[in-house]
Amino acid sequence: MDHDTSLSAPPRRTRTIVLLGLAILGTASAAFVVRRPLMMSAPMCMAGRWHGCFDTFNGVVLMTLVGLPLAALVVWALARRRRAAGVPAAWRMSLAEVGMVHGTVPFLWMTMMPGAGAGTVPGRVSLVPLRDLVTMGAAGIVGNLLVFAALGFFAPMRFAALASVPRILALGAGCSVLVETAQYVLRLDRVSSVDDVLVNAVGAVLAGLASRRWWRATAQAPADRPRPVPASAG
């Protein structure tokens, strides 16, 4: 019997339970703090009305929180199916896939919401770094940091090819450039700013660093596997 494995398993399981509990507690605390503005959109959302729910920040955040139990159910179903098929790290892979989608799509939705002059005013571009940063305010900076935070957190847990800081930075910046380009092309009455790209990319990297201990390692051949010997010439 491997005593090291048997002794390390309970602390690892306890640590996972503690982290999960802290995540749930943090989400519940955040929802409690912003409960009043969220409840303003509740009647419209519960009635299934688009206006007043899905076209407002409060409504999108509320529906994202309401959808958490469904997301957890999807994680459980995917993990159970993978475990039955003998796939290793089934829970981590399933959580990463659902987390990337559930944590990114709502922010993309809010980012692509049209302004009052959508379709009539020309697209606006700000290419001077740090010029818009001073006018964003704390809420704007935090919001931009969170846009691709879930992607930066979960992507390296799911894909070994993304398990490095430069690649997470490139992923966050590339996705942000696509969003800013779409805002300009679709004339959504929003400013396509290079500062948004910078802050979005930084948010992805910071979130990725927070999940670094769970990054998916690149598959390597066993050390005891004999390596092929090149045939000698002649």
Side-chain angles (χ1 to χ4, degrees), residues 100-116:
M100 281 189 293
V101 176
H102 192 78
T104 304
V105 170
F107 284 101
L108 291 180
W109 185 275
M110 290 186 285
T111 303
M112 298 299 293
M113 282 183 181

Side-chain angles (χ1 to χ4, degrees), residues 179-215:
V179 170
E180 298 299 315
T181 303
Q183 290 178 349
Y184 177 81
V185 172
L186 298 176
R187 300 171 64 186
L188 298 179
D189 190 20
R190 302 178 72 98
V191 179
S192 299
S193 173
V194 67
D195 286 343
D196 289 341
V197 176
L198 294 176
V199 180
N200 291 164
V202 169
V205 170
L206 292 177
L209 291 175
S211 67
R212 190 163 194 167
R213 65 180 303 169
W214 300 293
W215 285 2

Side-chain angles (χ1 to χ4, degrees), residues 18-34 65 68:
V18 170
L19 290 175
L20 182 60
L22 290 175
I24 295 174
L25 180 61
T27 303
S29 301
F32 179 79
V33 171
V34 297
L65 295 175
L68 282 175

